[in-house]
Amino acid sequence: NGTGKSTLLNLISGDLAPDSGFVEIGETIKIGYFSQQIRGLDDSKRVINFLQEVADNAQTSSGESISVVNLLEQFLFPRTTHGTLIEKLSGGEKKRLYLLKILLERPNVLLLDEPTNDLDIATLTVLEHFLQNFAGPVITVSHDRYFLDKVASKIIAFEEDGVVTYFGNYTDYLDEKKFLQEKA
């Protein structure tokens, strides 16, 4: 905690300007940023109308088109909830809707800041499945070891000695760290 992980995401997303140096983002990069604070939900709108303002359809990783209605159902919003006002949703449902909005914007890079906070098991499963099929890079800040084991292939650890890169998931990181400590 307090080592700058969320600050790094805010720098990459452009929400924070660097004190020195610069952040250069390629022209073809479209960032989707799932921050810890839910942003941009209009409580006076209905769930389906809110998403249809972003896009009528989404594309799967294989390039197939999927309707907002089907995407809502895939993210655990039954048809009976599509006309619900956003203000009536629970906190977890709002986080799910916030994630869907970001995904409908078709980013090719995802920044996720503590994405598992306040999500139920079913939503976590949907998120994990989506991330495993996401074609672009995903940079995730998380303290959820189980989640990192499911979705990470590289760990960039902010440690006392500085920033260290490990290839593999979180368990691989712990194993490598233990091996290096025993070797020293």
Side-chain angles (χ1 to χ4, degrees):
N1 289 333
T3 59
K5 298 177 298 293
S6 294
T7 300
L8 177 62
L9 293 186
N10 284 315
L11 286 166
I12 294 169
S13 72
D15 289 346
L16 187 62
D19 292 337
S20 63
F22 61 95
V23 176
E24 188 173 345
I25 305 295
E27 290 180 29
T28 61
I29 299 300
K30 184 167 184 188
I31 294 173
Y33 184 22
F34 185 80
S35 70
Q36 290 187 48
Q37 293 77 36
I38 296 174
R39 302 174 181 183
L41 290 187
D42 183 346
D43 281 347
S44 68
K45 294 194 174 168
R46 300 195 182 280
V47 169
I48 195 159
N49 300 120
F50 173 75
L51 289 180
Q52 286 174 328
E53 288 177 6
V54 178
D56 285 328
N57 292 299
Q59 277 193 321
T60 65
S61 57
S62 62
E64 297 173 38
S65 184
I66 183 171
S67 71
V68 170
V69 169
N70 289 339
L71 195 60
L72 276 165
E73 289 175 353
Q74 197 174 352
F75 275 75
L76 311 176
F77 285 99
R79 287 185 192 244
T80 56
T81 64
H82 296 187
T84 304
L85 289 172
I86 293 173
E87 68 184 10
K88 305 263 186 200
L89 298 177
S90 70
E93 289 170 326
K94 285 182 180 182
K95 277 201 103 153
R96 236 183 302 142
L97 185 62
Y98 174 50
L99 178 61
L100 268 173
K101 174 191 174 277
I102 292 166
L103 300 178
L104 277 172
E105 292 170 343
R106 295 185 180 164
N108 55 16
V109 174
L110 281 176
L111 305 177
L112 306 175
D113 195 357
E114 296 290 355
T116 62
N117 286 359
D118 306 320
L119 294 183
D120 57 36
I121 300 293
T123 304
L124 283 173
T125 303
V126 170
L127 176 60
E128 289 167 4
H129 178 72
F130 176 83
L131 293 177
Q132 289 164 348
N133 293 305
F134 185 72
V138 179
I139 301 172
T140 302
V141 169
S142 182
H143 290 94
D144 185 333
R145 296 172 179 191
Y146 175 78
F147 176 74
L148 290 174
D149 268 348
K150 296 287 253 182
V151 302
S153 61
K154 182 178 184 181
I155 301 290
I156 301 173
F158 286 54
E159 298 179 348
E160 291 175 12
D161 303 342
V163 179
V164 184
T165 302
Y166 295 89
F167 291 91
N169 63 22
Y170 190 78
T171 298
D172 297 330
Y173 156 71
L174 291 178
D175 291 344
E176 179 74 11
K177 197 170 170 178
K178 183 179 176 184
F179 172 76
L180 292 173
Q181 285 173 343
E182 289 172 356
K183 187 178 162 186

